[in-house]
């Protein structure tokens, strides 16, 4: 990309060309030296690299999607949450940027040390409260503190949201965020010194016609132990490593709730087609003679799985599971029969 020269640089270049003293190498060297100078504010030292900020943004885009789904189901309304920006600033700048009163949730970031803050704009807070209390969730510009009942309702919503935060961070750390207290005055939420650097994730939130912001403030000292893991390369590799385990766990949890039909085959008897057609209610079919010591076949969905023995537990009939039945596929049986006939 071609750099744009300032007016002073253009004047110097024209005067040097007219005098014959200009050399392209000298100008390029001078320009390269100027590019080495970088402005740095020692009052606001950058703690997070661009790669780390980008990774945190991708993680919280997942958090935003999960929160959108959770709030939509909870409020039964159209909810939209997405990441607007991820910035690094001092804690004092964050406190000054939020309204008073507001909803400030102090979150314990176990196993990480320290706390984070989830700030919810009052317009969003009162829209949620109105919706849960049976209202239409209309936009209400209220600037008062929450009542005890309203505080209890908000606590339930925050706890619900924190579950999504844990899932979004699962590729980096097994985070177990817990709600501590809820404050309405930002001056009462001093979790770090004013000059401490924090990462601010701003989430634009829309519920029906109401719009507002949710801000997640995480101090640098809280995530410093895992700062090396906040890289795109580590994040993507963690996702690939976790895919098989996540899929295995998901499949196992679904299989645990599957209902199957089981039966016990106590014997077989051969009947002619005419006898089967003449069967009526109350007819008796004589089965082969069996004893208690004989093993029956235990079937799962009409497929033999175990040998079993009959018995009784209290007043109920029961069977005791024995050795598994070797299930030979029909293809192998057909193949063996063909070889024998050949």
């Amino acid at each position: 990309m071609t750099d744009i020269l300032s007016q002073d640089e253009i004047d110097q270049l024209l005067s040097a060309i007219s005098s014959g003293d200009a050399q392209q190498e000298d100008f390029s060297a001078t320009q390269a030296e100027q590019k080495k100078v970088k402005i740095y504010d020692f009052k606001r030292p950058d703690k997070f690299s661009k790669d780390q900020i980008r990774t945190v943004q991708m993680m919280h885009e997942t958090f935003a999607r999960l929160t959108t789904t959770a709030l939509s189901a909870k409020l039964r309304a159209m909810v939209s949450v997405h990441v607007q920006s991820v910035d690094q600033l001092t804690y004092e700048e964050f406190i000054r940027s939020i309204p008073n009163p507001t909803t400030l949730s102090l979150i314990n970031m176990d196993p990480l040390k320290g706390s984070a803050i989830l700030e919810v704009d009052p317009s969003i807070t009162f829209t949620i409260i109105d919706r849960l209390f049976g209202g239409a969730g209309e936009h209400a510009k209220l600037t008062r503190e929450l009542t005890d009942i309203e505080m209890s309702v908000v606590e339930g919503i925050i706890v619900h949201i924190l579950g999504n935060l844990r899932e979004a961070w699962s590729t980096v750390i097994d985070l177990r965020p817990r709600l501590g207290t809820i404050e309405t005055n930002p001056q009462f939420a001093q979790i770090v010194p004013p000059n401490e650097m924090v990462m601010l994730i701003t989430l634009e939130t829309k519920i029906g016609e109401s719009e507002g912001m949710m801000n997640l403030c995480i101090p640098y000292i809280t995530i410093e132990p895992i700062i090396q893991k906040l890289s795109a390369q580590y994040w993507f590799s963690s996702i690939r490593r976790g895919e098989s385990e996540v899929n295995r766990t998901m499949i196992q949890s679904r299989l645990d709730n599957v209902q199957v039909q089981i039966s016990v085959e106590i014997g077989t008897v051969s009947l002619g087609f005419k006898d089967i057609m003449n069967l009526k209610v109350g007819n008796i079919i004589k089965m082969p003679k069996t004893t208690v010591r004989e093993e029956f076949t235990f079937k799962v969905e009409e497929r033999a799985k175990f040998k079993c023995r009959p018995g009784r537990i209290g007043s109920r009939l029961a069977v005791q599971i024995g050795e598994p039945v070797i299930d030979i596929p029909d293809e192998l049986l057909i193949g063996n029969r063909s070889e024998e006939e050949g």
Side-chain angles (χ1 to χ4, degrees), residues 228-240:
Q228 299 300 326
K229 295 183 179 181
L230 296 180
S231 64
Q233 183 178 2
Y234 182 89
W235 188 66
F236 284 119
S237 62
S238 299
I239 292 177
R240 288 193 293 270

Side-chain angles (χ1 to χ4, degrees), residues 246-259:
V246 170
N247 291 339
R248 189 182 301 111
T249 304
M250 181 181 65
I251 293 173
Q252 182 65 44
S253 63
R254 293 184 178 181
L255 287 177
D256 289 342
N257 298 321
V258 173
Q259 301 289 330

